[in-house]
Amino acid sequence: MKAFFSLTSRSQALSGVVQHARKSHLISRHYSNPPSRPLPLAGVTVVSLEQAIAAPFCTRQLADLGARVIKVERPGVGDFARHYDTRVNGLASHFVWTNRSKESLALDLKCSKDHAVLMKLLEKADVLVQNLAPGASARLGLSHEALKEKYPALIVCDISGYGQDGPYRDKKAYDLLIQSEAGMLSVTGTGKEPVKVGISIADISAGMYAYSNILSALLQRGKDGQGCHIDISMLESMVEWMGFPMYYAYDNAPGPLPAGASHAAIYPYGPFEAGDGQSVMLGVQNEREWVSFCNGVLSQPNLAIDPRFSSNSQRTRNRDELKSIIHDVFSRFTAEETIARLDEASIANASVNDMKNVWDHAQLQARERWTRVKTPMGAIPALLPPGSTNSTEKGGYGAQMGSVPRVGEHNEAILAELGLSD
């Protein structure tokens, strides 16, 4: 299906989607709840030359919305992220997170026959995504420039560390390195040594900007029928997320100092220890909340008008004195009791959870946010995509929650569909 949904021919588009779905037999679809209407991207085919996190995370979002995602991998070994660890029944934690609902096609693109398979596959594709090493896709003849004449409706999305041009184009880029280049390490930690964010935040930001740009490109193509080139840089994605500290340091002003889990410009905001040794996270962001905090939590109403703490700027400037006062009060209560006092005073707060607490989180359980997906090593739990619903009665849509594939699991079926022998 080459054309995406047009606002002026929606019924035709939906009819095409249904026909396409009936023809597809390559992968069994699994949904959080069988949808009563086609998912938003049903009928859209995405071919992805992907590895690690950024591109796979992008294409998994597309798959969640119903797109058919064909993941092209190296024969035998596949995406190197398959081998990061063995924490999920022998499978890698990163991989099962970012690769459900995909078909795996194992091709050696340096082999002319395998390369020809890919080019034939692109004839029916709507989107090509790649995050290979700098220059690799161009050497394979897979740049937008090389493809646009033959496939004018194809959307080509390149994801790289620094973009497709500029002096840093050919530098290798890993998540930690991009965090460092984007200034993230200057605002994390406690100031004693650089500390990175504990998840692949640069990869995730690039993946999400690739995802949103692809959705925009599909909408645009529905209007004019034309494909386009999307150039996503991990550096630019991460720098966009650094907007607050950059503007805070505007015109050569000093940047925010690393403040651990606290906030460089707001106080009290961060973790405070209770009497049982457990920490409670809280945040006071305006003067009304500050008065409530002094009255209802600290039981010291005079602090609300104390000149040392009369504004957020003053509280930030005198944070050590205020921290001592807060700890003195919190030391008389357990963390649970402290949270109860904060809730009673309508002060924002949170528990400091580890991963087990998150797996067991009462809010996620109450909202039925968990389902299960199949893997080569058995079914595992999976969080429903934010925004999707597990019940069509709620007026939303479900999500495609398909299997995590083995390397080359779908070679035979895809080759048969293309009229090729293995």
Side-chain angles (χ1 to χ4, degrees):
M1 176 178 174
K2 270 292 179 190
F4 192 57
F5 303 152
S6 168
L7 297 178
T8 59
S9 58
R10 184 168 180 80
S11 61
Q12 270 188 318
L14 286 174
S15 175
V17 166
V18 172
Q19 289 176 10
H20 179 96
R22 287 173 179 162
K23 291 178 182 177
S24 178
H25 62 279
L26 299 182
I27 186 170
S28 60
R29 304 296 186 182
H30 301 280
Y31 301 93
S32 58
N33 199 42
S36 58
R37 56 180 178 170
L39 291 178
L41 295 186
V44 172
T45 297
V46 179
V47 175
S48 188
L49 282 65
E50 59 181 32
Q51 56 194 359
I53 303 303
F57 191 61
C58 163
T59 57
R60 200 217 75 189
Q61 314 304 314
L62 299 170
D64 288 346
L65 292 181
R68 177 188 182 189
V69 176
I70 300 174
K71 179 185 181 77
V72 179
E73 302 188 74
R74 295 180 180 87
V77 295
D79 181 343
F80 58 73
R82 286 181 178 272
H83 312 289
Y84 279 169
D85 58 57
T86 56
R87 302 302 290 267
V88 187
N89 299 334
L91 303 175
S93 50
H94 279 89
F95 191 84
V96 298
W97 167 47
T98 58
N99 288 284
R100 66 173 179 246
S101 303
K102 299 180 184 181
E103 302 168 55
S104 175
L105 176 64
L107 296 176
D108 178 1
L109 296 180
K110 294 180 180 179
C111 167
S112 60
K113 288 185 178 180
D114 283 14
H115 190 277
V117 170
L118 176 63
M119 300 306 288
K120 190 169 181 63
L121 190 59
L122 291 179
E123 292 176 6
K124 61 185 301 179
D126 298 282
V127 183
L128 171 64
V129 179
Q130 73 84 22
N131 71 330
L132 304 180
S137 67
R139 289 192 295 272
L140 291 167
L142 299 173
S143 67
H144 181 253
E145 279 297 313
L147 296 172
K148 66 180 182 180
E149 185 172 343
K150 187 174 183 181
Y151 310 111
L154 183 66
I155 295 163
V156 178
C157 179
D158 295 322
I159 305 174
S160 62
Y162 297 99
Q164 299 301 303
D165 51 19
Y168 278 44
R169 186 194 71 168
D170 295 325
K171 279 181 72 75
K172 286 187 175 182
Y174 301 130
D175 187 86
L176 167 63
L177 309 181
I178 297 298
Q179 286 193 39
S180 183
E181 286 282 353
M184 174 64 77
L185 271 60
S186 74
V187 300
T188 56
T190 60
K192 295 178 181 178
E193 63 176 324
V195 176
K196 73 178 183 69
V197 177
I199 59 173
S200 303
I201 191 170
D203 284 307
I204 293 169
S205 66
M208 292 306 287
Y209 279 115
Y211 167 57
S212 60
N213 274 268
I214 289 169
L215 294 180
S216 298
L218 286 167
L219 287 170
Q220 182 63 39
R221 195 185 66 180
K223 300 174 182 178
D224 60 23
Q226 295 298 307
C228 66
H229 180 220
I230 301 169
D231 179 4
I232 299 292
S233 154
M234 290 170 65
L235 176 66
E236 291 159 19
S237 301
M238 194 73 262
V239 169
E240 165 62 24
W241 285 13
M242 293 296 292
F244 149 64
M246 290 183 67
Y247 281 118
Y248 188 85
Y250 180 69
D251 199 20
N252 295 318
L257 297 175
S262 297
H263 198 288
I266 303 173
Y267 202 83
Y269 192 110
F272 294 87
E273 189 175 309
D276 58 0
Q278 301 297 310
S279 289
V280 173
M281 201 72 67
L282 68 89
V284 174
Q285 297 210 55
N286 57 56
E287 299 313 305
R288 177 183 52 78
E289 289 181 350
W290 170 239
V291 172
S292 295
F293 183 66
C294 293
N295 292 337
V297 180
L298 301 182
S299 299
Q300 299 183 44
N302 288 337
L303 284 178
I305 56 174
D306 190 313
R308 296 172 297 171
F309 314 126
S310 59
S311 68
N312 178 65
S313 295
Q314 286 295 98
R315 292 191 291 274
T316 301
R317 187 173 295 115
N318 296 295
R319 66 171 60 209
D320 290 340
E321 295 174 70
L322 182 51
K323 183 177 183 179
S324 178
I325 294 170
I326 294 172
H327 275 161
D328 181 60
V329 174
F330 282 15
S331 67
R332 306 168 198 166
F333 306 98
T334 65
E336 185 176 350
E337 292 168 339
T338 302
I339 287 175
R341 292 174 68 87
L342 291 164
D343 284 339
E344 180 68 23
S346 296
I347 301 300
N349 66 83
S351 301
V352 182
N353 287 330
D354 59 16
M355 292 302 97
K356 183 182 185 307
N357 296 138
V358 179
W359 277 113
D360 299 335
H361 204 291
Q363 181 70 1
L364 298 176
Q365 301 286 351
R367 283 172 52 80
E368 300 180 341
R369 298 311 298 168
W370 294 106
T371 186
R372 296 183 70 79
V373 299
K374 295 180 180 179
T375 80
M377 302 300 289
I380 61 171
L383 187 72
L384 290 170
S388 68
T389 174
N390 206 24
S391 172
T392 53
E393 295 177 2
K394 295 179 180 179
Y397 55 86
Q400 183 172 224
M401 303 293 286
S403 304
V404 177
R406 298 188 306 275
V407 178
E409 180 177 341
H410 301 90
N411 272 46
E412 184 177 348
I414 294 174
L415 292 174
E417 182 187 13
L418 296 176
L420 302 172
S421 60
D422 190 0

